[in-house]
């Protein structure tokens, strides 16, 4: 079962949260409503935070195995998926962290494990640093703590301009992002699948469900700023996961683990940036034991 609950984010932005199983039951057997504390016998909660341009549905495979033991909830972050896309923003770090905080509190998820990919991972560790009372554990998937630099932002602007919009079919979306994109080093079916999920069909073809201008604005907040200080303020157990061929290098990942007071490390072979898409079984083997250790049966 996939159940949607709207959350009110900072500035009144409507956020779509998706529960990937039946809501947990309270002591009386009745459904526990949103915006209330979780009952003592409810399963522990995991909030899944997608990366830039992503959406909660990208976690569907992960959520299926999580739901056997945990209350698995995915959040469409502002500007993404079915959530609000305010023309004037904001799309800064404070807004994204405040939105995640609102989701945890309004859905009664605390103390929650935060599992984040890329931008979602940064949101996760910033929330854990700022509100340790809400967070039990963090999983950081392929996100750097270092600033990327102005050149990186210019490259993204050029990349966005290269998209051959609109795409005639969803198959064309998969083919271009998975095979034909000139920035690709080698074909990636997982990459094609990722982008196929963030395109919608209109009168003239398939276009992204997000604003590329808003995505560039959101990205500026880690292109120009490093986030090592907040990483060092995360005192809950934190697992740093990287794909061998991803964007987070091994040396930086190991330094992140060193900076974290309770850091652990895992890497996934034959995986790029989209670790949970590239190697879903190996991703599970890395993450599941970590969460089970945080929430012992």
């Amino acid at each position: 079962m996939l159940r949607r609950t709207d959350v009110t984010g900072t500035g009144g932005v409507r956020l779509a949260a998706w529960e990937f199983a039946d809501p947990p039951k309270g002591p009386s057997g009745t459904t526990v409503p949103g915006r209330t504390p979780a009952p003592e016998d409810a399963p522990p909660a995991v909030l899944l935070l997608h990366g830039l341009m992503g959406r909660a549905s990208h976690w569907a495979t992960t959520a299926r195995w999580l739901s056997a033991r945990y209350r698995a909830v995915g959040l469409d972050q502002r500007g993404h998926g079915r959530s609000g896309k305010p023309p004037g923003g904001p799309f800064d770090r404070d807004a994204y962290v405040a939105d995640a905080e609102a989701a945890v509190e309004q859905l009664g998820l605390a103390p929650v494990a935060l599992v984040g990919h890329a931008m979602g991972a940064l949101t996760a560790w910033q929330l854990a640093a700022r509100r340790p009372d809400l967070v039990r554990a963090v999983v950081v998937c392929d996100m750097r703590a270092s600033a990327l630099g102005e050149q990186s932002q210019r490259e993204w602007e050029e990349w966005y301009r290269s998209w051959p919009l609109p795409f005639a079919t969803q198959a064309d979306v998969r083919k271009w992002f998975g095979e034909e994109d000139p920035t690709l080093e080698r074909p990636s079916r997982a990459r094609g699948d990722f982008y196929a999920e963030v395109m919608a069909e209109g009168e003239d073809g398939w276009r992204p469900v997000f604003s590329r201008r808003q995505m560039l604005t959101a990205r500026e907040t880690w292109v120009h700023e490093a986030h090592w200080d907040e990483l060092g303020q995360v005192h809950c157990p934190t697992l740093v996961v990287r794909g061998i061929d991803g964007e987070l290098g091994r040396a930086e990942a190991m330094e992140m683990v060193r900076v974290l007071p309770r850091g652990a490390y895992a890497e996934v072979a034959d995986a790029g940036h989209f670790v949970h898409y590239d190697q879903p079984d190996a991703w599970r083997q890395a993450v599941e034991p970590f969460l089970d250790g945080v929430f012992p049966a």
Side-chain angles (χ1 to χ4, degrees):
M1 172 182 175
L2 186 63
R3 173 175 172 264
R4 173 176 170 173
T5 302
D6 282 349
V7 171
T8 302
T10 186
V13 174
R14 177 191 51 76
L15 305 171
W18 304 89
E19 192 131 10
F20 287 92
D22 290 333
K25 305 296 182 178
S28 65
T30 58
T31 298
V32 177
R35 305 176 187 270
T36 60
E40 291 184 1
D41 63 343
V46 178
L47 181 63
L48 300 156
L49 298 170
H50 62 73
L52 189 74
M53 301 180 289
R55 61 191 311 171
S57 64
H58 283 147
W59 292 111
T61 300
T62 297
R64 276 195 288 272
W65 58 261
L66 280 174
S67 296
R69 185 176 174 213
Y70 303 96
R71 182 183 176 191
V73 179
L75 180 67
D76 281 343
Q77 299 179 77
R78 64 174 51 220
H80 298 76
R82 299 288 183 88
S83 287
K85 302 169 177 63
F91 295 100
D92 56 21
R93 287 284 85 222
D94 287 341
Y96 281 108
V97 175
D99 287 347
E101 179 181 355
V104 172
E105 293 187 322
Q106 293 175 30
L107 298 175
L109 303 179
V112 67
L114 301 173
V115 177
H117 174 243
M119 179 189 76
L122 176 56
T123 300
W125 88 60
Q126 288 184 304
L127 178 56
R130 299 178 191 187
R131 289 294 308 274
D133 56 308
L134 297 181
V135 182
R136 178 69 63 85
V138 175
V139 176
V140 172
C141 179
D142 214 65
M143 180 61 186
R144 300 181 60 184
S146 299
L148 302 182
E150 180 60 33
Q151 179 61 28
S152 173
Q153 192 76 341
R154 287 196 294 268
E155 289 171 354
W156 270 64
E157 291 172 356
E158 294 173 4
W159 178 58
Y160 275 148
R161 286 195 292 268
S162 76
W163 290 14
L165 297 175
F167 292 96
T169 68
Q170 197 173 40
D172 290 330
V173 175
R174 286 192 171 90
K175 185 174 182 180
W176 194 83
F177 285 100
E179 301 176 23
E180 298 176 349
D181 183 344
T183 65
L184 271 177
E185 293 184 0
R186 58 178 177 272
S188 170
R189 178 179 177 180
R191 191 172 186 268
D193 290 342
F194 179 96
Y195 284 99
E197 285 195 49
V198 294
M199 299 283 169
E201 187 176 19
E203 292 183 359
D204 63 344
W206 292 77
R207 295 180 179 274
V209 299
F210 51 81
S211 159
R212 289 172 290 171
R213 176 185 57 80
Q214 290 181 351
M215 296 301 99
L216 285 171
T217 300
R219 193 173 184 271
E220 285 179 354
T221 61
W222 71 85
V223 166
H224 302 294
E225 299 176 12
H227 296 281
W228 290 97
D229 288 346
E230 284 171 304
L231 193 70
Q233 296 167 20
V234 178
H235 291 278
C236 63
T238 303
L239 177 67
V240 177
V241 184
R242 63 176 288 265
I244 292 293
D245 299 315
E247 296 178 9
L248 174 61
R250 191 172 193 275
E252 183 169 352
M254 296 304 295
E255 180 63 12
M256 289 170 67
V257 172
R258 188 193 67 79
V259 168
L260 284 159
R262 301 175 66 184
Y265 174 76
E267 59 186 28
V268 177
D270 299 318
H273 180 58
F274 303 107
V275 181
H276 51 305
Y277 263 59
D278 286 329
Q279 297 294 337
D281 292 338
W283 160 254
R284 177 177 181 175
Q285 290 168 13
V287 174
E288 190 171 34
F290 171 77
L291 293 178
D292 287 349
V294 172
F295 297 107

